[in-house]
Amino acid sequence: MVEDDEYAMQLAFERYMMSMGGSGAVLVEEETKEDEAERLAQKEAREEEQRMRRVLAEVKKAEKKYWQVFQKFGRLLKDEWFDIDDQAHKVVESIAGIRRRLPMAYKVVEQLKESKANKKKNEWASRGFSQTFGGGQCVPTLLTEDDVELALSHDLLQHEKMMSAIRSLFANLSECQEAMYRILDEIMKHHHECIEVFDWSDLTISFYKSSSLEELMNDFVAMLSLELYRKQSLVHLLLSAVEDDVLKSCETGGGKKSELDWEDLNSEEIATRCQKVW
């Protein structure tokens, strides 16, 4: 009996110890799983942080590219497009001034020629005590026919130079416009690359502001294209208005015309109109 009791107690003790060992192993396994999950979470957090750093670096680089292209566009617009346009305006003003002077100079030349012919025909008019002819006093002019013809020739030469200058300036302005299109194409390609590469939820506010430069440049180029076309049309009218009677003052009549009415205008009026609406 005693042996049976001892055996029962030993068996019960072994079962108890075995049950304690099993729960301890489960506890250790659960702790190992928690540690592994924590390590994985930390690893993922580090990888995400590194990814965000790389993304932010790429975003800063892309943002800098936007501003570099925009600054190049701004320099071209300020230093070339506007400068050429200002020069063209001054040339148009010069052409308008010359065309206003030409009829007057031509009229003076004709009057001097007529006066010279009359003087040769009536040389006796200035002889004797009376310096009058036909009831009028003979007042000698300070300018000779050669002086006025020289001034007229100078204006005609300057007119030709200004016409050549306006052609050259608008050739340069067209080239400048083409350069602006190339810069616009550059920033549009960069913008589309950014759309394909970046997840827009990762981007910063400053990047959104930088990316809006593409739309701004697009609007600028569209407006400048319309402005260039308008001024090219004015230059075409200015160049095509040169006729044989550019020296003569043509009366178009009909009262004051609308600024939209360009028909039946002579060379002088077209130049003046172009200067006004430039």
Side-chain angles (χ1 to χ4, degrees), residues 51 62-63 70 89 114 150 157 164 167 227 252:
R51 187 190 72 83
E63 184 179 340
F70 181 75
H89 187 203
E114 184 179 356
L150 182 62
L157 182 60
S164 177
R167 293 189 188 97
E227 182 68 7
T252 55

Side-chain angles (χ1 to χ4, degrees), residues 115-124:
S115 176
K116 184 178 181 180
N118 290 334
K119 185 177 180 181
K120 287 182 180 180
K121 186 177 180 180
N122 304 292
E123 291 182 353
W124 59 269

Side-chain angles (χ1 to χ4, degrees), residues 30-41:
E30 290 179 353
E31 291 179 353
T32 303
K33 289 181 178 180
E34 289 178 358
D35 293 341
E36 185 67 22
E38 185 177 355
R39 284 194 298 271
L40 288 174

Side-chain angles (χ1 to χ4, degrees), residues 105 109 112-113 144-155:
V109 170
L112 287 173
K113 286 181 179 180
T144 65
E145 182 181 346
D146 292 338
D147 293 333
V148 181
E149 286 183 345
L150 182 62
L152 182 61
S153 299
H154 175 75
D155 279 344

Side-chain angles (χ1 to χ4, degrees), residues 31-55:
E31 291 179 353
T32 303
K33 289 181 178 180
E34 289 178 358
D35 293 341
E36 185 67 22
E38 185 177 355
R39 284 194 298 271
L40 288 174
Q42 292 176 354
K43 182 180 179 181
E44 290 176 357
R46 287 194 300 270
E47 291 177 351
E48 180 64 18
E49 183 179 358
Q50 292 174 356
R51 187 190 72 83
M52 285 302 300
R53 287 179 179 176
R54 290 194 299 270
V55 168

Side-chain angles (χ1 to χ4, degrees), residues 239-250:
L239 296 176
S240 61
V242 180
E243 301 172 353
D244 294 337
D245 62 351
V246 68
L247 296 177
K248 301 177 182 178
S249 179
C250 302

Side-chain angles (χ1 to χ4, degrees), residues 60-276:
K60 286 292 183 183
K61 184 178 178 180
E63 184 179 340
K64 186 177 180 181
K65 179 70 178 292
Y66 275 113
W67 285 106
Q68 287 175 344
V69 177
F70 181 75
Q71 289 172 358
K72 181 165 62 173
F73 177 83
R75 286 192 298 269
L76 181 65
L77 181 63
K78 177 184 176 183
D79 298 338
E80 295 191 33
W81 207 103
F82 287 159
D83 183 61
I84 295 173
D85 181 59
D86 290 340
Q87 292 181 48
H89 187 203
K90 292 177 182 178
V91 171
V92 171
E93 288 179 340
S94 179
I95 292 174
I98 291 172
R99 289 189 183 180
R100 283 191 293 268
R101 292 195 303 270
L102 286 176
M104 292 186 292
Y106 178 77
K107 187 175 181 180
V108 171
V109 170
E110 291 298 310
Q111 288 176 347
L112 287 173
K113 286 181 179 180
E114 184 179 356
S115 176
K116 184 178 181 180
N118 290 334
K119 185 177 180 181
K120 287 182 180 180
K121 186 177 180 180
N122 304 292
E123 291 182 353
W124 59 269
S126 60
R127 296 178 181 177
F129 295 102
S130 177
Q131 295 287 320
T132 61
F133 172 72
Q137 187 176 4
C138 296
V139 180
T141 178
L142 296 177
L143 293 176
T144 65
E145 182 181 346
D146 292 338
D147 293 333
V148 181
E149 286 183 345
L150 182 62
L152 182 61
S153 299
H154 175 75
D155 279 344
L156 287 171
L157 182 60
Q158 287 298 112
H159 185 267
E160 289 300 318
K161 288 182 178 180
M162 293 299 103
M163 297 288 279
S164 177
I166 198 69
R167 293 189 188 97
S168 177
L169 285 172
F170 266 79
N172 294 338
L173 193 59
S174 297
E175 292 178 0
C176 182
Q177 189 75 16
E178 290 294 329
M180 293 178 69
Y181 278 122
R182 290 193 291 271
I183 296 176
L184 178 63
D185 184 63
E186 181 181 355
I187 199 170
M188 290 181 70
K189 286 181 179 179
H190 176 64
H191 185 66
H192 288 300
E193 289 175 358
C194 291
I195 291 176
E196 294 177 357
V197 171
F198 295 130
D199 182 359
W200 289 78
S201 61
D202 296 334
L203 301 179
T204 60
I205 295 176
S206 61
F207 180 86
Y208 282 110
K209 292 181 180 179
S210 301
S211 63
S212 65
L213 295 175
E214 180 264 343
E215 184 178 358
L216 179 63
M217 286 174 57
N218 200 3
D219 292 340
F220 257 112
V221 172
M223 289 187 294
L224 291 172
S225 298
L226 292 175
E227 182 68 7
L228 177 61
Y229 174 74
R230 185 184 71 85
K231 292 185 176 180
Q232 284 175 335
S233 301
L234 293 177
V235 171
H236 175 71
L237 290 170
L238 193 66
L239 296 176
S240 61
V242 180
E243 301 172 353
D244 294 337
D245 62 351
V246 68
L247 296 177
K248 301 177 182 178
S249 179
C250 302
E251 296 293 338
T252 55
K256 187 176 180 180
K257 294 189 176 184
S258 169
E259 291 185 356
L260 300 178
D261 185 10
W262 290 78
E263 296 182 0
D264 299 327
L265 297 179
N266 59 34
S267 299
E268 176 188 343
E269 290 170 334
I270 287 177
T272 303
R273 183 74 63 83
C274 289
Q275 176 188 357
K276 184 177 181 181

